[in-house]
Amino acid sequence: MRLIAGINGVTKGCRNIARQFWGRAVWRPARTAIRGSRFGICKSLTGPRSKLHRFNYLMRSFTVSGNLFIFVASLTSLSTALAGPAPAGRFPEPLEKSEMQPAPLIYRLETSPRMISQFGPFVSYQVNVDANGNNIVGDAANEPSISADPTNGSKIAVGWRQFDTVQSDFRQSGYGYSTDAGLTWHFPGVLQDQVFRSDPVTNSDDTGNFFYLSLLVDSFCADIWRSTNGGQTWTEQSPDGGAHSGDKEWFTIDRTPTSMGYGFQYQFWTEFAACEFGGFSRSTDAGATWQTPISIPNAPQWGTLDVASNGNLFIGGGDSMSSFWCIRSTNAQDPGVTPIFDQITTINMGGSLVFGGTVNPGGLSGQIFLAVDRSGGATNNNIYMVASVEPFSGGGTNVMFSRSTDGGATFSAAQRINDDPVNPNKWHWFGTIGVAPNGRIDSVWLDSRNAANNIDSQLFYSYSTDGGVSWSPNVAVSNSFTPLEGWPIQNKIGDYITVVSDNTGGDVAYSATYNFNPSRGQHEQDVYFVRVSPSGGPTPTPTATVTPTATPTATATPTATATATVTPSGTPSATPRPTPTPRFEPTPRPRPTPVPRP
């Protein structure tokens, strides 16, 4: 302890990092001994353009069974440690990092017809196409975020991680737009050419302005871009890095005209992997400027946030494992005060988030999505949370749902939305939700229930019209595809998909591998749009699933009577996609046992 007490420069940033990796049980005995100036060693690590991601790898080598002497010794020899290899450890997902230079601008020279993939009444249209509407051979696109104009449903925009070539991990902020409700798409380019960006998040305000939050990977700062023409062109609102931010950032907009914070934008991110201290910021001028970041209690990660009709802000996040929280601020809507978080509710989602699952070895099997009902009806201001979690009993993931009807003070027992028989070998991953203005909840996810190899996946859909008390039998809305091909250096197909809902259905952006690249002998990752709705296929009456059950109340694929076809072009001729050849399931990567937290 004398050695610890003698080290200067261990600031709040180090404290937060230590808490993340060891938990409070180990940190608390040492917190009174570890002190230092604000301008010490952790300040340099967490500042703009730092080597925090390498420090993260160092920290991941320690476990709760390790002793604090190792931690201190590592800090004193930091310059040597930063140049070392990346050991394994508790925090599972590597931070975004820039290692490669931009790819040569030759990736658009080879094209093939754009993919239109039809499954029964549901049609998926490729989004990341070239100027002529063709598929770009040799690139990769994943992690899509979708927005729609609430005043004109024909205008839709999608942002995604654009890899110019699968031979590089250098990625940029791609974007596409549609003016005909998703039937055709235009991909003008990226937000900034040859600038390394990631973690795309798009959103729209109530008047139809689109916004795009994009992370600058080299600095872990982000900025907001705005489009006033349906996503056709974008203008940077804040200077590069002006939105503060950090890894796995997300933002939302107050869309209620009667709210004090009408038009405000709120953002949070992984606090210990940021360009500066803090994990939350607010903009009161449509993203042009952002207030100095502050910390959120419990430092939530891998989640989203939303605003109720009364202006209250709710953040859904967790500790990257089995802890989930809904955190409220009632005064973030007041521009004259520094936001405080006055309510923290722990939610049991019935399992843990997964990194490194067999369906997405280098990424998440899903993150946490929180959405608020602003319908003005009986379910107004209900708060909903969805996450794809591995059950405590182990094996695969399920899409789990919980709701609050009392402003986030309490939440219901977690419900299992996927209705197939319980099977620990099946993956229901990338679960997400959207809430329509009329209160209907749409949920979509990727699902391996019909795959003999337990990996190949389809997009599935379910909806609720009673605030999540009951859910419609699951419907498959896409053809099957393999998620294990087309990897652009990273062994993953992103970390999430998204849906935005209106009164008749939901607009979905997801990544899939329908296009085949003969030069590589495998399928490519591309971004697709599909429209889902209760009337888009069978319209079953929702059945109550108040508690998770193993009883299959519906067939695995309600659209099984429809012939699954893939149409590579807009012509009437349809070419069926060959049934994927079953492949042996990769050996699951071990995940560390979570440290119990109080």
Side-chain angles (χ1 to χ4, degrees), residues 1 4 22-35 68:
M1 296 300 291
I4 296 173
W22 295 313
R24 291 175 174 81
V26 174
W27 172 254
R28 282 175 174 166
R31 66 182 173 181
T32 57
I34 299 181
R35 303 292 184 190
L68 291 175

Side-chain angles (χ1 to χ4, degrees), residues 156-389:
I156 310 171
V158 178
W160 65 84
R161 304 195 314 165
Q162 173 64 35
F163 297 78
D164 290 349
T165 170
V166 293
Q167 304 296 337
S168 172
D169 77 343
F170 192 91
R171 47 202 176 275
Q172 302 173 78
S173 290
Y175 69 92
Y177 69 92
S178 175
T179 58
D180 56 8
L183 298 181
T184 57
W185 287 88
H186 310 276
F187 172 20
V190 296
L191 293 183
Q192 282 182 315
D193 193 40
Q194 308 300 291
V195 175
F196 194 106
R197 291 179 172 274
S198 197
D199 289 356
V201 184
T202 67
N203 215 322
S204 60
D205 64 20
D206 61 311
T207 63
N209 293 309
F210 288 2
F211 295 88
Y212 194 138
L213 177 66
S214 178
L215 182 71
L216 288 159
V217 176
D218 288 344
S219 65
F220 274 78
C221 293
D223 40 64
I224 281 279
W225 297 65
R226 179 184 184 184
S227 175
T228 60
N229 56 7
Q232 298 184 41
T233 58
W234 296 86
T235 302
E236 190 172 11
Q237 292 289 94
S238 56
D240 280 0
H244 306 299
S245 202
D247 197 45
K248 289 290 180 291
E249 87 291 355
W250 209 271
F251 83 110
T252 192
I253 304 170
D254 188 335
R255 302 176 183 83
T256 304
T258 57
S259 168
M260 182 188 303
Y262 175 57
F264 287 10
Q265 297 183 7
Y266 305 103
Q267 181 193 174
F268 93 102
W269 54 85
T270 300
E271 180 167 350
F272 74 90
C275 68
E276 56 191 298
F277 291 124
F280 171 86
S281 186
R282 171 184 68 185
S283 174
T284 61
D285 53 12
T289 61
W290 291 80
Q291 296 177 352
T292 301
I294 60 175
S295 294
I296 306 173
N298 294 351
Q301 306 169 33
W302 298 356
T304 64
L305 63 175
D306 203 358
V307 184
S309 60
N310 59 10
N312 288 347
L313 172 69
F314 295 90
I315 297 173
D319 66 348
S320 79
M321 291 176 291
S322 59
S323 294
F324 299 84
W325 307 294
C326 176
I327 303 173
R328 183 187 71 183
S329 175
T330 55
N331 75 339
Q333 60 185 303
D334 185 348
V337 302
T338 298
I340 60 172
F341 302 95
D342 56 0
Q343 179 176 278
I344 305 169
T345 304
T346 299
I347 306 167
N348 183 349
M349 295 299 290
S352 302
L353 295 179
V354 173
F355 168 80
T358 55
V359 289
N360 202 35
L364 303 179
S365 293
Q367 62 174 41
I368 304 161
F369 283 88
L370 179 146
V372 179
D373 182 309
R374 293 184 294 274
S375 63
T379 57
N380 188 58
N381 285 339
N382 279 5
I383 305 165
Y384 306 123
M385 186 177 287
V386 157
S388 292
V389 302

